[in-house]
Amino acid sequence: MKKIGILLLLLFCIVMSFLGCKQQEKPIEQIEESKEVKKVQSAAEQKEEFLEQKIASMTLEQKVGQLFFCAFRRDSNNVPITVWNETIENTMQQYPIGGVVLFGENIDTAEQTKQLITDFQNHTTIPLFIGVDEEGGRVSRLHASGKLEVVEVPSAQKIGNTKDTKIAYDMASEMGKELVSLGFNVDFAPVADVNTNPHNTVIGDRAFSSDPIETGEMVIAFIHGLHANNISACVKHFPGHGDTTEDSHKGIAVAKHTLEEMQQTEWIPFKRAIEQGVDFVMTGHITTPNATTDNLPASLSYEMLTEQLRNHLHFQGIIITDALDMGAVTQYEDASFMAIKAGADMALMPFDLEKSYAHLCDAVKEGIISEQELNEKVKRILSLKYDKGYFENVVN
């Protein structure tokens, strides 16, 4: 009887062991899946923790500095700046800016350009965006000196005429390789404007097409080509510069389409770019009297930047203005402040950095711009810098 009991106990243990193994087969897969989810969550949590700590450690002045994307084109004697100098160093120490854009004046040889960019990065506590206007065709800063061996990228119009998005991707990819090798990390391209006005000389062949769908497809391919080389892309000039006749470098440009007409034409390429995760949207100095009521250039308009671009088109990336030293906006007392208050995250090339910087600092102290709003803008800026790996080699 005792033997039978032992045998039954052994049989019970064997059966339970077998069933236990069977039950574990699925949980093991689930455990592996759970580990992967945990990894993704932990990466997101790690980023969030980094950003929160970084922003909490920053002074008000450092936060405001991140909102400025500046140029250092010529010195006080009107000589092109190609090497680091004391004036730049003093400016960078006083105003901890978030980005620097280089122009043809700053770019001579490959080694010189690399060294200048390295000097900029070595003189800041938070890694900089280093941007350039490299669209191809007539807008190419890398070809300015004639000393850089860089690929000849045709105009957007010529690329668009091929109807082949692979060509757009390949051209942008080659461009991206050259930019990253020099130290750039942002390209103010591609142009997402639809060339609907044959009399528009400002955009013209800088646009891929007069068809919004075709333009959108080319824009997406171009963005992907830049992203393949870790270059951030910036579509421009929202809400659409293609149907204007005026040059916003000299004065206000006017787009006469209604909001509905813009949504059906000009905004299609921008919408596609946003859906594909474009990093920046550059706003144009374009008034839209039939689409907004404030009679302001889009770059200074809350209706256009916050209500439409941020809330209606759901853009979560960085809103940056077109250059604020352009004739279209220099008439305003402080365009940088107006742009940031309207919803922009970064002010490109402020007309008067000292004045604009002080104005924004005071605006936050006085509650005209809330600290929460400032933190949200800084978080968008630092978030992209984190995603692109700028902080990986930085010792905090």
Side-chain angles (χ1 to χ4, degrees):
M1 190 74 180
K2 188 174 180 183
K3 288 181 180 177
I4 293 172
I6 292 170
L7 287 170
L8 287 171
L9 182 60
L10 285 170
L11 182 62
F12 176 77
C13 289
I14 290 167
V15 170
M16 291 305 293
S17 175
F18 176 76
L19 289 173
C21 289
K22 281 288 187 187
Q23 288 174 349
Q24 283 182 9
E25 285 178 9
K26 190 173 180 181
I28 286 172
E29 293 172 1
Q30 290 176 342
I31 288 168
E32 291 303 317
E33 289 175 7
S34 161
K35 279 182 184 173
E36 295 203 6
V37 170
K38 210 166 191 183
K39 282 179 191 173
V40 172
Q41 288 175 337
S42 111
E45 288 168 359
Q46 186 177 7
K47 174 185 174 180
E48 188 65 23
E49 183 180 0
F50 174 87
L51 293 176
E52 285 181 5
Q53 290 178 355
K54 194 70 178 174
I55 293 171
S57 71
M58 295 169 69
T59 64
L60 168 63
E61 290 73 19
Q62 287 173 323
K63 291 176 185 177
V64 170
Q66 283 297 298
L67 310 187
F68 290 96
F69 211 123
C70 299
F72 300 87
R73 301 178 73 164
R74 294 175 178 271
D75 64 18
S76 57
N77 295 316
N78 202 34
V79 176
I81 294 173
T82 56
V83 295
W84 185 260
N85 62 39
E86 188 178 352
T87 302
I88 298 174
E89 184 163 358
N90 292 338
T91 302
M92 298 276 291
Q93 286 179 350
Q94 193 169 359
Y95 310 107
I97 60 178
V100 173
V101 55
L102 299 190
F103 283 83
E105 300 100 301
N106 308 120
I107 300 169
D108 186 31
T109 67
E111 289 309 312
Q112 166 271 324
T113 304
K114 289 177 189 177
Q115 186 58 56
L116 180 59
I117 290 174
T118 298
D119 288 335
F120 272 115
Q121 294 289 21
N122 286 343
H123 286 82
T124 182
T125 55
I126 295 177
L128 292 161
F129 288 129
I130 304 291
V132 67
D133 286 300
E134 195 64 25
E135 302 172 11
R138 59 187 160 112
V139 181
S140 173
R141 311 307 184 198
L142 299 187
H143 285 86
S145 71
K147 297 178 184 177
L148 272 70
E149 293 184 9
V150 289
V151 66
E152 289 280 349
V153 176
S155 69
Q157 185 179 70
K158 286 183 179 178
I159 295 173
N161 286 343
T162 68
K163 312 291 185 184
D164 188 346
T165 54
K166 186 178 183 304
I167 292 176
Y169 175 90
D170 290 343
M171 289 290 97
S173 182
E174 284 300 314
M175 189 182 287
K177 288 174 189 173
E178 290 167 350
L179 291 174
V180 80
S181 73
L182 293 168
F184 292 100
N185 49 43
V186 176
D187 188 6
F188 291 125
V191 169
D193 300 316
V194 183
N195 188 25
T196 54
N197 186 346
H199 302 294
N200 185 339
T201 57
V202 179
I203 301 302
D205 64 354
R206 295 169 65 193
F208 287 105
S209 174
S210 59
D211 181 276
I213 303 296
E214 289 181 6
T215 300
E217 293 304 313
M218 290 292 175
V219 163
I220 290 170
F222 202 97
I223 290 169
H224 288 169
L226 292 177
H227 281 179
N229 295 281
N230 207 35
I231 296 291
S232 294
C234 174
V235 288
K236 56 188 185 184
H237 310 78
F238 186 83
H241 211 318
D243 196 46
T244 62
T245 53
E246 304 88 353
D247 184 349
S248 55
H249 292 85
K250 300 174 183 176
I252 293 291
V254 181
K256 296 180 180 178
H257 281 179
T258 64
L259 199 59
E260 186 178 352
E261 287 171 333
M262 285 185 170
Q263 290 169 352
Q264 293 172 354
T265 306
E266 280 88 355
W267 290 6
I268 288 176
F270 289 101
K271 189 171 186 295
R272 294 299 312 279
I274 290 167
E275 291 167 352
Q276 293 296 312
V278 71
D279 310 289
F280 292 81
V281 172
M282 180 182 287
T283 62
H285 306 319
I286 306 156
T287 57
T288 54
N290 298 316
T292 51
T293 61
D294 53 23
N295 200 35
L296 289 169
S299 48
L300 312 181
S301 168
Y302 180 89
E303 289 180 52
M304 195 56 79
L305 300 192
T306 298
E307 292 179 4
Q308 295 303 325
L309 181 54
R310 189 69 79 194
N311 297 339
H312 179 73
L313 292 177
H314 307 295
F315 178 54
Q316 299 303 311
I318 298 170
I319 298 176
I320 187 169
T321 68
D322 204 344
L324 293 172
D325 62 354
M326 290 164 63
V329 290
T330 52
Q331 62 179 293
Y332 295 94
E333 187 177 349
D334 189 354
S336 296
F337 166 76
M338 292 178 69
I340 297 298
K341 189 75 176 71
D345 300 304
M346 299 193 81
L348 178 64
M349 298 168 60
F351 183 69
D352 186 334
L353 175 60
E354 181 180 1
K355 178 182 175 182
S356 296
Y357 180 83
H359 193 169
L360 279 172
C361 285
D362 289 342
V364 178
K365 291 173 185 175
E366 295 166 12
I368 298 169
I369 294 175
S370 71
E371 191 159 1
Q372 180 184 346
E373 189 178 355
L374 174 63
N375 287 345
E376 287 172 357
K377 294 176 188 295
V378 173
K379 187 174 183 180
R380 278 191 281 269
I381 293 164
L382 298 188
S383 177
L384 179 57
K385 292 182 178 183
Y386 182 95
D387 289 343
K388 295 296 185 180
Y390 300 176
F391 292 103
E392 288 175 6
N393 299 317
V394 175
V395 179
N396 295 315

